[in-house]
Amino acid sequence: MRAPETATDLRFPASASLREARALLARAFAEAGLDAPALEARRLLSAATRLSEEDQLRDPARELSADQRDTLWAFAIRRLNREPLGRIVGTRSFYGLDIRLGDQTLEPRDDSEILVTTALERIAGKRSPRILDAGTGSGCLLLALLANAPGAWGMGIDVSAGAIATARDNAMRLGFGDRAAFAVGDWLSGVAGRFDLIVANPPYVRRGDIAGLAPEVSRFDPRGALDGGIDGLDHYRVLVPQALECLAAGGVLVLEIGADQADMVGALVSAAGLEDVVCVRDLGGRDRVLTARGPDCDAAYDKNPLGMLTRSR
Ligand code: GLN
């Protein structure tokens, strides 16, 4: 870990201007091999000085106060130790929403935005859809859906009480308090009710692969939000059959999957009795999302009339 050496280089001179501090930071980040050093330097500088990026550009010669230098230095060391930027500054943008993170929540990924877009397409035209987000974490999927489906109402479930507290806080802060409810639960085992859309980004990383992920992920995301068991599919095996029981007639299940899991998760989804299984790629061209439809009322009734009656609530 090279952070301790770099730390000494990062002691900004007492008269450091915004421009100098930003350049120093960007250089240290580039040397440490971070992907977007200039962008991250700007964002950390904003967080430490509480000046917007526009203000930084307008007045680049402005000197940092001693407090701002100390804060920036502490932030920079954390980033050089590979803590994700969003965890350092406290929020992460997801689908245009500022999502607060907690130590029990996965940091939302840009890659997951395609899940939101896909789910919104599947419920387009549906009035007042009821949405269930299984393993909601920070609440990011549910809140992004509610933000873009004005008549929708939703519920987020997570096994972690800490995650539920974070999700609830996000919902209140972003103005969705009256359209979102949250509860602690083990996948959908405690859920009674039917939903038009069920979304989930379950832990799907093969246990043996976790240590090899980027340090931002392996060291800072909660392990429970990543670990999908030996083959990565443990949570789909539990969740998918439960989802079928919680889908309203013709309701849609939209799952995030790992890039090499489309066939295996697709097979689980079909075996559970869902139909129209479709795989959607992310912007990087990797398989990222599976969608499927629950049987509509008549089909389910034809196949299993008694089952249908006992399931209806
Ligand atoms: N996309 C995450 C990663 O590989 C994994 C998230 C998950 O397991 N749901 O970094």
Side-chain angles (χ1 to χ4, degrees), residues 106 109 111 201-205 213 217 221 225-227 256 288:
L106 194 76
R109 313 273 200 268
D111 291 329
N201 176 14
Y204 56 67
V205 182
L213 298 175
V217 177
D221 274 331
L226 297 171
D227 189 344
E256 181 164 327
R288 178 64 63 184

